[in-house]
Amino acid sequence: TVTMGALKISLLSDFAKEYVGKVRVADLGVSRRVYESKSDTFLLQKCDLKLPKRVKKSSNKGDFGHLSVLCGDKKGACIIASKAAFRFGAGLVTVINKRNMKVPDEIMQSKTMPKSVTAVCAGMGLGKKFDKESLLELLARSEHPLICDADLFYQDVILDILKNKKELVLTP
């Protein structure tokens, strides 16, 4: 897509993704700064990705964090999140689920929160019918950083979960 003079926010929107492709700005002979204004909207690019560097030679997977992913109705969503955690540098990933399920060999499973956990991720495929007391126990009363996604925001206890969290990531 060729845009005249400057980038336009609408070209970066979710609705445009299927149609825009690679965006090129055509030079109109006047600086882009004349057309472009400051904005908090930006397009993430591959160069923005900063994965952890592992320079210590005598290390093991436990040295790189342990993420627990809360599993709900849609089990595939927690498996996808678990695999993504490994790609972003987590050393260990455990799926928290009431029942055992088939998961890739590198993903661990537990019915309770592991003691070595360093962060918790919840909401992907959680569903709307989840035990509120379990959510409070696993998420609100935990001191661990929390990544909140999707279905977690439909839960009645979401404000109780969020109010005392110091380290928190909210995703759409």
Side-chain angles (χ1 to χ4, degrees), residues 6 12 15 43 46 62 68 74 85 91 112 117 119 131 135 139 155 160 170 172:
L12 308 177
F15 300 108
L43 182 63
K46 196 170 190 171
S68 284
K74 309 288 185 203
T112 60
V117 71
D131 177 26
L135 281 176
L139 305 177
Q155 302 297 324
D160 295 323
L170 305 176

Side-chain angles (χ1 to χ4, degrees), residues 100-161:
N100 283 339
M101 60 185 212
K102 185 172 171 59
V103 295
D105 292 338
E106 66 273 16
I107 301 172
M108 299 181 293
Q109 292 186 68
S110 179
K111 293 179 182 170
T112 60
M113 191 72 68
K115 291 184 176 158
S116 63
V117 71
T118 56
V120 179
C121 186
M124 307 75 46
L126 193 63
K128 295 182 182 178
K129 296 178 182 176
F130 202 87
D131 177 26
K132 292 175 185 166
E133 188 55 39
S134 294
L135 281 176
L136 286 172
E137 185 64 35
L138 291 168
L139 305 177
R141 298 179 189 133
S142 163
E143 295 292 319
H144 304 297
L146 177 63
I147 302 160
C148 300
D149 187 58
D151 287 350
L152 187 60
F153 297 109
Y154 290 112
Q155 302 297 324
D156 293 339
V157 295
I158 186 65
L159 294 178
D160 295 323
I161 292 169

Side-chain angles (χ1 to χ4, degrees), residues 84-97:
F86 281 123
R87 292 191 67 155
F88 275 89
L92 296 166
V93 178
T94 299
V95 170
I96 308 295
N97 195 10

Side-chain angles (χ1 to χ4, degrees), residues 51-103:
L51 295 176
K53 293 195 188 309
R54 297 181 176 180
V55 293
K56 186 178 170 187
K57 296 199 186 323
S58 62
S59 62
N60 65 59
K61 60 185 171 235
D63 293 334
F64 302 107
H66 186 171
L67 178 70
S68 284
V69 179
L70 189 61
C71 186
D73 290 342
K74 309 288 185 203
K75 292 167 182 42
C78 77
I79 292 172
I80 291 169
S82 298
K83 287 180 171 184
F86 281 123
R87 292 191 67 155
F88 275 89
L92 296 166
V93 178
T94 299
V95 170
I96 308 295
N97 195 10
K98 293 177 185 174
R99 293 182 220 118
N100 283 339
M101 60 185 212
K102 185 172 171 59
V103 295

